[in-house]
Amino acid sequence: MFGIPGKQAISITPAAAAQIQRLMAREGHQGLRIGIKKGGCAGMEYTMDYVSEINPHDEIVEQDGARVMIAPTAQMFLFGTEIDYETSLLEAGFKFRNPNVADACGCGESIKFKDVAELAGTQAKAQG
């Protein structure tokens, strides 16, 4: 929907692709759907859900055997995001490196996006 010809909406690191493949293998999931919702101290939060059926309105990104669907309402906000999977001594989880984020809370669970007009302008420049 907000794509650039020849470029995927998001990128997935090899570590994230491997974890998504493991999650897809459980109970025959079709992939993971990522989106955003209101919440948290900065105003918005990422969502991730298992997908059993692909929504025809989702943007589908397939990379290294992993399949991620982007919910229609989140496509503009997630364009250009890199999804990684990091493991440390204390935690393991997906990390979003999103150029559209203006601010984030201290814990990293909540984000605030740039102004919608600014997002549209940035994406138009990337296409031109």
Side-chain angles (χ1 to χ4, degrees):
M1 182 176 260
F2 290 96
I4 296 173
K7 181 175 166 86
Q8 294 193 100
I10 61 168
S11 62
I12 305 166
T13 66
Q19 180 63 15
I20 292 168
Q21 285 178 337
R22 284 190 286 273
L23 294 172
M24 286 172 57
R26 290 184 187 171
E27 301 175 28
H29 296 296
Q30 296 293 312
L32 291 177
R33 178 176 292 116
I34 59 173
I36 55 170
K37 68 176 184 176
K38 290 184 179 185
C41 53
M44 302 294 281
E45 297 175 326
Y46 294 111
T47 63
M48 293 187 87
D49 299 298
Y50 294 114
V51 175
S52 297
E53 292 183 24
I54 297 174
N55 180 332
H57 300 290
D58 285 348
E59 176 79 20
I60 300 172
V61 175
E62 294 184 89
Q63 187 174 319
D64 300 328
R67 183 179 303 121
V68 172
M69 285 67 104
I70 306 170
T73 56
Q75 291 174 10
M76 181 169 65
F77 299 102
L78 296 175
F79 185 79
T81 297
E82 178 187 66
I83 300 175
D84 194 9
Y85 188 80
E86 296 178 355
T87 304
S88 71
L89 289 174
L90 299 175
E91 65 181 1
F94 289 100
K95 303 293 180 187
F96 292 77
R97 294 185 188 93
N98 187 336
N100 305 310
V101 170
D103 197 12
C105 67
C107 67
E109 296 294 322
S110 179
I111 50 175
K112 179 180 177 185
F113 290 103
K114 296 175 184 175
D115 181 79
V116 173
E118 186 179 348
L119 285 176
T122 301
Q123 292 170 6
K125 286 179 188 176
Q127 291 178 354

